[in-house]
Amino acid sequence: MRRRFFYILILAISLISTQTLLGQVRLPGLVGDGMVLQRETPVNIWGWAKPGEKVKLSFNSQTFETITAVDGKWKIVLPKQKAGGPFEIEITASNSIKLKDILFGDVWLCSGQSNMELPMSRVAVLYGKEIENCTNPNIRLFQVPVRWNYNNPQDDISGGKWEESNPQNILKYTAVGYFFARDLYEKYKVPVGIIQCAAGGSSAESWISEESLKAFPEQYQIAKQLSDTTYLRNLLASERESQSNWFRELGKNDLGRKSTPWFNPSLDDSSCPDFQLPSSFAEAGMDFNSGAVWFRKQIDLPDNCSGKSALLELGRIVDSDSVFVNGTFVGNVTYQYPPRRYNIAPGILKAGKNNITVKVISQSGIGAFIKDKPYQLDVDRQTFDLKGTWKYKVGAKCDPCPASTFFPGKPLGLYNAMLSPTVNYTLKGMVWYQGESNTGRANEYKSVMSTLIGEWRKLWGQGELPFLFVQLPDFLESKNEPSEGDWATMRDQQLKLLSVPNTAMAVTIGLGEWNDIHPLRKKEVGQRLALAAEKLAYGDQKVVASGPIYQSMKIVGNKIELTFTNCGSGLATNDGKQLKHFAIAGADKKLVWGKAEIKGNKIIVWSDAIVKPKIVRYAWADNPAGANLCNKEGLPASPFTTEEDTFRIWGKQANP
């Protein structure tokens, strides 16, 4: 609920166009103290002042001047500089602005959706030491606030500042971006600036212009509808009212908040039905659609836990929850994705019986405690398992919560409000982690992304800027037989993006979590992107920057011979075992699991059940659990299918 109101609020802010403050020289949000400017190339410094006013910029004993245009805009281009700093810049018109602590280094735009946005605080459970030791004034990040606008590209952003890496600042910044920057700095010892321009749930179409959207009529029509201010205002008001009514009625009807609250430790719950945690409400046979359910568990603690602080881990819960320990509220999460990690203050726990109560609100009828997540209480270096039998009681039943529009997922809005204000800032390259929101229309993804890459490069006017991107990891439940899947199709579309010049892809198969769209292992993602940058952007041709990429196939009798690029020092498996997750089919395309073996830098695939093979697929599933092909450097192979090659071969045979 709170999250939805937050998005409504920032939408309202985004609808207010940035106004030029005439008569005073003014700088965009990105140009400020502590910024990192791109080394070894001319860089833009820009802003606004009174039309026709002279603007003077002083830097490093040099002076640069310009006259503002009739719209009040001005731009000065600084000549290329070597890496280093800190420097100061003074800009003077009718007033004066002095910028301090400026570095020259390499600047990367990090964009996409939630897995790019995911902050270090969310992955602290894995990377506590990295956070503790992250202080480095040569790594700096700027976080573009999440905004959207469906009317016009904006000139500036509201909020944000350059901050150096330290244990306090880093907690709110992109984990992928930080690890990427850290690896580059450790190798090149050059300051690195990260511009985080990402929004959870955003689609690829959110980040391209109205003109480019015309190539995708359905998305263009959505953008045009949202650009109608009256329609948008009415939509917001209607959704706000319907959701407020739903939560108000739920609260009014919830029996758990009546005379004796159900989080009261003395409540007798012995007659309540059992619930085996973790599981879904449906698996428990709960006669329930949407509404509020209260879950309770008694746990016995030894004397040495009395009064101690503790960490309560409750995995992941669909949709929202409020948690009480011995009748004391200890925290809540308002939507389904974040991990539940609640700190229990000293004085709440006691020796003997302790009560944990969790109120869960299911908005869409698919309530669940997600499996294969930690459910435990950590006290004084002791861990108490919370999985198993709980008691539950339904507080209120109701129809599903009325749907609300998730604006970051809609086309155009983020391009106008977040991307456009950054396009004057000179870059080293771009990093992209997105695709989850596009899996429902995965077949269009290469076309959409080719458009996005081309448009962004044109906007920045720096030629074919390096564009690095992440191929989606494994997700959802694995299957025992070869299968289709939107995530498999999406990875294939991402693989095909490598045909766009000056691009590189980080493969993340093996880093995913079947039950979480936000896997925690972000350090490896950043490291693989850094390897890609070393080769593509820094020209280090000796670095092995990728795992094996399928190149071609050859049918030899009843077997198919596969060749690869990016073999490094040789093909291998990541577990030292036989190759897994290769499927093979004949002309009927009925895939069966095949046998596969490595022969030098080739792989031979066959099945005794397929006499005349035509097709091989590798790791082709939403979650290809067990896929283990890599190179000897340990970088995983991209999933692939040979089908297009097969069709090409067949075509040649049919039309010699």
Side-chain angles (χ1 to χ4, degrees), residues 463-525:
E464 291 185 344
L465 273 171
F467 192 95
L468 318 175
F469 61 93
V470 178
Q471 187 185 54
L472 293 186
D474 29 321
F475 181 54
L476 301 173
E477 292 192 51
S478 60
K479 297 181 179 179
N480 293 327
E481 300 299 328
S483 61
E484 301 292 338
D486 289 341
W487 283 62
T489 302
M490 173 61 76
R491 292 187 202 104
D492 189 53
Q493 290 279 300
Q494 292 173 317
L495 177 62
K496 290 173 180 175
L497 263 182
L498 291 174
S499 63
V500 177
N502 223 28
T503 59
M505 180 178 74
V507 177
T508 59
I509 287 296
L511 300 182
E513 299 175 28
W514 76 266
N515 56 6
D516 203 328
I517 203 169
H518 302 121
L520 297 182
R521 292 174 61 185
K522 292 295 188 278
K523 180 165 72 171
E524 291 99 322
V525 180

Side-chain angles (χ1 to χ4, degrees), residues 212-249:
S212 292
L213 280 172
K214 290 179 180 178
F216 310 97
E218 183 177 343
Q219 296 296 309
Y220 177 69
Q221 288 305 315
I222 294 171
K224 291 299 291 182
Q225 185 178 43
L226 291 172
S227 69
D228 182 331
T229 304
T230 301
Y231 169 82
L232 185 56
R233 186 185 301 115
N234 291 339
L235 176 66
L236 286 168
S238 173
E239 290 184 352
R240 185 166 53 242
E241 181 180 10
S242 60
Q243 289 216 335
S244 295
N245 289 341
W246 191 86
F247 279 97
R248 184 166 47 250
E249 286 299 306

Side-chain angles (χ1 to χ4, degrees), residues 10 121 146 153 197 253 310 341 392 429 461 541 554 642:
I10 60 179
S121 61
V146 177
C197 187
N253 296 327
R341 295 172 58 82
Y392 80 89
Q541 297 306 309
K554 180 181 178 182
T642 67

Side-chain angles (χ1 to χ4, degrees), residues 317-387:
I317 301 173
V318 182
D319 291 294
S320 62
D321 61 284
S322 299
V323 181
F324 305 83
V325 176
N326 291 333
T328 299
F329 176 72
V330 297
N332 74 307
V333 172
T334 58
Y335 61 110
Q336 66 168 292
Y337 292 115
R340 273 54 172 183
R341 295 172 58 82
Y342 297 115
N343 291 310
I344 300 175
I348 295 176
L349 296 177
K350 59 185 180 180
K353 293 189 180 299
N354 290 259
N355 173 265
I356 301 173
T357 300
V358 182
K359 174 189 174 182
V360 178
I361 295 178
S362 172
Q363 296 173 220
S364 56
I366 53 172
F369 291 81
I370 301 299
K371 296 177 182 178
D372 292 342
K373 292 288 183 179
Y375 294 89
Q376 61 193 39
L377 180 67
D378 298 318
V379 193
D380 194 29
R381 300 180 183 177
Q382 302 170 82
T383 297
F384 301 91
D385 189 3
L386 299 178
K387 295 188 291 293

